[in-house]
């Protein structure tokens, strides 16, 4: 994959600044390790940003939207037209992520990379070659050219969102049917058992969850051999059973890391995109920080596959980037504590003595 832009290596975190951050943490007026995960979070961010004082103030949120042909099989409790309706809601400021972004002072960028919208929506960037994917239970979700276009849209979205600089990025998604695509991606790329992945999504009952699982199993039977035999199984999986918004997020994560911008990863759908992105470009992994464990059944297995330890567990299952937005204040507080707490010497407080 090295001949493609998304196969080019991402930079490595700075070991120098990691060690400097660790040294500072040992000098702050607290018992070593007393702030737990907030300490390790600040240290990791310092290493990723290559600075003594990590920050998380400039944090653009980019939401990608796309429709899914597999919704024709009844895999969602909501009709497919909700995707386009929600695009209007994002642009109008009424969606959850719009409220959270406003409260946190974050710029919100909405990119339509594959919805069924046929007219322009004010406040939404249109960058699509398809009005929704094909039904992947009967054939590939998209062509190779459509996948490349979604990748390009992801990269361009990062370039636009970070034009004035960024300390961290949050990606969200909207697409009725996308838990089905995410489950298929996780199953084939994990590989992970479908029984532990397929959940309620937008609110399916037990009977329809079984139908959803069986449909994905049939689809993987149709596409699995081609995916496993491909030069890049992750790209093949995105093309055959993925979604345009999921593909765009995968590419956007790689583009962010190549610019040395960490990503605060959201829930189940975005984690599935992260799994695909890491399989495409393993050097991405250090640049991913994980915000929360969602209530979607398969998310814990995805997190395990990514060796990720999320910051929160609030039983969320909304998507849109909402969980990442909710975790951002913790990241900011971790930075503030690291940067602004006094050291033992500055505060004239006795440090721990040997043997105490």
């Amino acid at each position: 994959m090295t001949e493609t832009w998304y196969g080019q290596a991402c930079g490595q975190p700075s070991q120098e600044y990691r060690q400097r951050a660790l040294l500072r943490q040992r000098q702050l007026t607290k018992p070593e390790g007393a702030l737990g995960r907030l300490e390790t979070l600040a240290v990791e961010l310092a290493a990723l940003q290559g600075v003594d004082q990590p920050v998380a103030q400039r944090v653009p949120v980019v939401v990608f939207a796309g429709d899914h042909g597999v919704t024709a099989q009844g895999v969602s409790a909501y009709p497919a037209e909700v995707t386009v309706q929600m695009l209007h809601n994002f642009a109008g400021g009424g969606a959850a992520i719009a409220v959270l972004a406003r409260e946190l002072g974050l710029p919100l960028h909405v990119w339509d990379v594959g919805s069924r919208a046929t007219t322009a929506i004010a406040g939404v960037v249109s960058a699509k070659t398809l009005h929704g994917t094909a039904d992947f239970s009967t054939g590939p979700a998209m062509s190779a050219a459509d996948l490349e276009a979604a990748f390009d849209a992801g990269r361009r979205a990062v370039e636009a969102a970070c034009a004035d600089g960024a300390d961290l990025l949050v990606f969200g998604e909207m697409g009725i049917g996308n838990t089905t695509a995410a489950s298929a991606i996780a199953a084939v790329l994990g590989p992970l058992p479908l029984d532990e992945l397929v959940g309620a999504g937008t609110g399916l009952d037990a009977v329809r969850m079984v139908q959803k699982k069986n449909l994905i199993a049939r689809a993987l039977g149709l596409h699995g051999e081609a995916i496993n035999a491909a030069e890049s199984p992750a790209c093949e999986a995105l093309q055959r059973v993925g979604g345009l918004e999921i593909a765009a997020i995968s590419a956007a994560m790689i583009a962010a890391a190549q610019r040395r911008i960490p990503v605060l990863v959201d829930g189940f759908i975005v984690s599935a995109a992260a799994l695909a992105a890491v399989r495409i470009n393993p050097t991405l992994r250090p640049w991913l920080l994980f915000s929360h464990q969602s209530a979607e059944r398969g998310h814990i297995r995805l997190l395990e596959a990514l060796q990720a330890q999320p910051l929160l567990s609030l039983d969320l299952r909304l998507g849109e980037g909402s969980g990442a937005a909710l975790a951002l204040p913790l990241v900011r507080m971790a930075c503030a504590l690291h940067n602004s707490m006094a050291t033992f010497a500055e505060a004239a407080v006795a440090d721990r003595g040997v043997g105490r």
Side-chain angles (χ1 to χ4, degrees):
M1 300 302 296
T2 53
E3 71 277 6
T4 64
W5 72 262
Y6 44 84
Q8 297 297 316
C10 307
Q12 291 299 304
S14 168
Q15 295 305 314
E16 175 189 354
Y17 281 98
R18 176 179 281 112
Q19 292 305 313
R20 288 163 67 155
L22 285 168
L23 178 61
R24 176 168 175 79
Q25 283 289 331
R26 287 194 287 269
Q27 295 171 338
L28 297 179
T29 46
K30 59 176 177 58
E32 189 172 343
L35 287 171
R37 297 276 310 285
L38 295 180
E39 294 184 16
T40 56
L41 180 59
V43 169
E44 281 307 304
L45 203 53
L48 291 168
Q49 293 178 344
V51 294
D52 284 314
Q53 295 197 335
V55 290
Q57 294 305 311
R58 299 174 302 171
V59 185
V61 179
V62 186
V63 176
F64 296 95
D67 272 307
H68 294 258
V70 74
T71 55
Q73 303 297 329
V75 295
S76 174
Y78 284 80
E81 54 263 31
V82 167
T83 301
V84 174
Q85 292 167 357
M86 283 299 297
L87 279 172
H88 288 277
N89 197 25
F90 289 132
I97 189 57
V99 173
L100 292 169
R102 192 160 57 243
E103 287 296 311
L104 291 166
L106 313 178
L108 176 62
H109 306 263
V110 183
W111 282 61
D112 178 1
V113 293
S115 86
R116 294 177 181 174
T118 56
T119 58
I121 300 172
V124 176
V125 178
S126 180
K128 59 189 177 185
T129 56
L130 287 178
H131 291 83
T133 56
D135 180 354
F136 70 67
S137 69
T138 60
M142 66 189 85
S143 70
D146 293 322
L147 178 65
E148 289 291 334
F151 280 178
D152 182 64
R155 177 171 62 171
R156 289 189 289 118
V158 168
E159 292 170 352
C162 300
D164 297 324
D167 305 316
L168 194 65
L169 273 168
V170 167
F171 297 122
E173 41 62 40
M174 179 64 219
I176 296 300
N178 62 11
T179 61
T180 303
S183 296
I185 291 167
V188 73
L189 293 183
L192 296 169
L194 272 178
D195 283 343
E196 298 178 19
L197 289 174
V198 177
T202 50
L204 295 180
D205 60 25
V207 171
R208 291 180 69 186
M209 279 175 57
V210 171
Q211 293 171 345
K212 177 179 173 181
K213 182 191 73 174
N214 291 340
L215 179 138
I216 296 171
R218 291 195 301 272
L220 293 180
L222 176 65
H223 301 294
E225 185 175 344
I227 292 171
N228 292 326
E231 178 186 358
S232 171
C235 287
E236 194 74 15
L238 288 170
Q239 180 187 334
R240 287 180 171 270
V241 298
L244 293 156
E245 81 281 32
I246 296 173
I249 293 170
S250 294
M253 288 178 173
I254 296 171
Q258 288 172 338
R259 296 170 71 99
R260 302 192 67 86
I261 302 171
V263 176
L264 188 57
V265 179
D266 193 45
F268 182 61
I269 312 301
V270 177
S271 295
L275 180 65
V278 168
R279 294 287 193 264
I280 292 167
N281 190 334
T283 63
L284 162 67
R285 178 60 187 86
W287 297 89
L288 303 180
L289 306 172
F290 290 80
S291 63
H292 76 116
Q293 179 185 319
S294 84
E296 185 63 22
R297 185 179 180 189
H299 194 208
I300 188 170
R301 294 305 309 272
L302 263 176
L303 292 170
E304 290 169 354
L306 287 160
Q307 297 182 306
Q309 188 176 11
L311 295 171
L312 298 171
S313 181
L314 298 174
D315 294 333
L316 305 174
R317 55 180 182 87
L318 176 62
E320 302 179 4
S322 57
L326 287 165
L328 180 61
L330 277 181
V331 180
R332 287 176 168 175
M333 289 302 100
C335 293
L337 289 163
H338 182 83
N339 300 338
S340 300
M341 278 184 71
T343 64
F344 286 104
E346 289 168 344
V349 172
D351 197 352
R352 180 180 60 183
V354 176
R356 292 185 185 175

